[in-house]
Amino acid sequence: MKAKTCEKGKGTGRLISVGLVLLAPLVALTGLSGPALAEDVQLQDPAKVVAEMTMTVHGGNEISAPVYVNGKGPFEFVVDTGATSSGIWNSVVQQNALENNHVETITVSAADGLVRLKILEFGSVRAAVFALDPAHLMEYPDYYSYYRRPLSGILGADYLTNHVVVFDFPRDMMVLYPKMTNLTRSMPGYFDSIPLRFEGEQKALFVKAGINGKRLNALVDTGASMTTILTSEHRKLGVSLEGAQQVTMTGVNGNPIRGYIVRLPALKAGSKIWRDVEVVFAQFTVGRADRFSMLLGMDLMGRTPFAVDYGRKRLLLAKPEKVNMVSRRDPRSQALVEAPEELQCSFPAAAREGLPCVAATRPPERR
């Protein structure tokens, strides 16, 4: 969703993305298979290599990464752990003549209600050296076109779930380790580790959060720029909305959602405590199978490099005092400090457990 803060009925221009929350499809995908992948790069087995690719952090904290569809690209896709399926804007398909087959149309639960979306089958979809298999993308409306750098789609959990995904902000890199990599073993004391869990057959990850001694079920959502809590929870949490700054958000369906910006003294997830934090209370839609009342967003997770560990179901947040051990920028020039070879792919060679690292170059302009 996008949002503008409002003061006395006038927008102040502040944009807030609260993610798609595209969970619990009402029609299951069964018996679908894709054609052979285009031979534009040498694809790799996610279990046998570590790969890194460039990422872009946008003004609203959203992360995007280059994705190639039918060998064309790169297209910048939002990296969204809160979306169970990857997708592409319909105008991108049309403008770039991306051939596809319409597989079916499904109903999904979005932040502003139910929405009908087509599933399209492409010749190939890849990010870095890994393919999305089958090469299926949901066709989304163009609701992200308001960003300064136009985005083209969503890279969701159907792609990410095969990896331990590291977001290395000092180097502007996203690093994909094999799913069974144990970063906490190879880098003891580097991370705050927060237990996560799957619910049902969904690929989305959830964490127990605490506010004022009350617990909430939170979705780990890299597609949400700000941490967002259901408005209906504010009394349970002992939080007053009186006098709070208002925001108006727009979801996939174009429906307005009113929200309130509130400052909390503390918010806890696992052993991690964030103090003096700003969150949004908004009445976004929650599907019957989703069972969560909060989105844990990039405003909190993105304060240091972090990893989403799909194998061990952990959210790994680098401790601020440990960040300079791995990758950093020179404080005077802001240039990257040249790291020794063992720090290729962000972390010490021990983190790769003997596997090769495929380092990505910055992608060329879209063709």
Side-chain angles (χ1 to χ4, degrees), residues 28-81:
L29 304 183
T30 57
L32 304 179
S33 60
L37 291 161
E39 295 295 332
D40 50 349
V41 297
Q42 184 176 354
L43 297 173
Q44 302 288 336
D45 183 342
K48 295 182 178 179
V49 299
V50 178
E52 68 175 14
M53 57 182 167
T54 57
M55 69 179 187
T56 302
V57 181
H58 297 264
N61 293 333
E62 297 81 8
I63 300 169
S64 68
V67 174
Y68 295 80
V69 181
N70 290 354
K72 295 182 178 181
F75 303 107
E76 288 292 320
F77 277 32
V78 180
V79 181
D80 190 352
T81 59

Side-chain angles (χ1 to χ4, degrees), residues 77-90:
F77 277 32
V78 180
V79 181
D80 190 352
T81 59
T84 58
S85 298
S86 299
I88 190 168
W89 308 158
N90 49 22

Side-chain angles (χ1 to χ4, degrees), residues 195-199 204-208 216-218 291 313:
L196 302 174
R197 70 184 186 282
F198 292 107
E199 287 200 356
L205 292 167
F206 297 86
V207 62
K208 284 295 182 184
L216 295 174
N217 195 21
R291 309 300 184 196
K313 300 177 184 176

Side-chain angles (χ1 to χ4, degrees), residues 103-179:
V103 177
E104 63 177 307
T105 300
I106 68 171
T107 302
V108 300
S109 173
D112 60 339
L114 298 178
V115 58
R116 297 277 290 172
L117 298 175
K118 292 180 180 179
I119 295 177
L120 305 180
E121 179 182 66
F122 294 88
S124 66
V125 178
R126 71 166 178 90
V129 292
F130 305 124
L132 179 64
D133 184 20
H136 292 163
L137 295 174
M138 288 187 180
E139 186 181 41
Y140 294 125
D142 296 341
Y143 79 105
Y144 262 140
S145 60
Y146 58 88
Y147 285 117
R148 286 179 297 173
R149 180 177 182 180
L151 300 172
S152 300
I154 293 170
L155 193 62
D158 51 350
Y159 176 87
L160 302 172
T161 191
N162 291 320
H163 309 279
V164 176
V165 185
V166 173
F167 300 93
D168 183 356
F169 296 107
R171 296 175 62 239
D172 293 327
M173 286 287 180
M174 191 168 84
V175 189
L176 305 171
Y177 288 81
K179 191 172 183 177

